[in-house]
Amino acid sequence: AGITSSSANISWTAVAGSQGYEYAVTASATPPASGTSTTGTTHNPTGLSPATAYYIHIRNKCSATDFSNWRSTPFSTYMVCNAPATVAANNVMSNDADIVWVAVTGASGYEYAVTTSATPPASGTYTTSTTYSPSTLVPSTVYYAHVRSVCTPSTNFSPWISTTFTTLTCIAP
């Protein structure tokens, strides 16, 4: 679970009476001769290479010298999901604006949000477009447009990028 371009969250079910476990993360389907000892049931490897196939190998330590067979499970890290190079607010009026950003190679889509907070949201509205034109903005208000790329799989996001803009005071007739 929690796979990113450089890490993963690995867990396994405890074995009753276990004296610990050995684990190894490798690029080979063949289990190693030995692994790293632990008494826990989780391992969170970091520093993995993006878009790479790995195997987690786990075995039970039954006694000081006796181990179970290895259990191996494949997983792959995600490709690096790049953020759009820029986001801009154009044609800003009292109630609307055009939010535009640069397309990202490898992105399956984008999430955007227009808020009054400089802090990016937890999630945004999905689109495959590189523009968004909000039309219910409040005059004389500072807004922040936040955009991030969505890459495959759809749980792989880039960092948010943001820009700020202020709507005009004068309302058109």
Side-chain angles (χ1 to χ4, degrees):
I3 296 172
T4 70
S5 61
S6 62
S7 65
N9 300 326
I10 298 169
S11 63
W12 55 92
T13 304
V15 176
S18 176
Q19 295 197 10
Y21 308 91
E22 280 192 352
Y23 65 86
V25 175
T26 69
S28 171
T30 303
S34 65
T36 302
S37 294
T38 184
T39 56
T41 58
T42 63
H43 174 57
N44 301 318
T46 59
L48 302 175
S49 297
T52 302
Y54 288 97
Y55 293 85
I56 178 69
H57 307 282
I58 304 167
R59 68 180 180 174
N60 182 26
K61 183 177 181 182
C62 302
S63 71
T65 58
D66 187 28
F67 291 91
S68 71
N69 290 328
W70 288 99
R71 287 288 177 125
S72 300
T73 302
F75 69 97
S76 294
T77 52
Y78 301 151
M79 67 179 207
V80 173
C81 191
N82 293 314
T86 59
V87 60
N90 298 329
N91 304 317
V92 177
M93 302 303 281
S94 56
N95 298 109
D96 55 16
D98 295 325
I99 311 302
V100 297
W101 56 92
V102 178
V104 173
T105 301
S108 59
Y110 307 92
E111 282 192 354
Y112 66 84
V114 176
T115 69
T116 56
S117 171
T119 303
S123 64
T125 302
Y126 180 81
T127 185
T128 56
S129 176
T130 56
T131 63
Y132 169 61
S133 298
S135 60
T136 57
L137 302 175
V138 176
S140 300
T141 304
V142 175
Y143 285 97
Y144 297 86
H146 310 282
V147 177
R148 68 179 178 178
S149 300
V150 179
C151 300
T152 304
S154 60
T155 56
N156 187 16
F157 301 102
S158 74
W160 289 98
I161 62 165
S162 303
T163 191
T164 185
F165 65 97
T166 303
T167 51
L168 299 178
T169 302
C170 186
I171 299 173

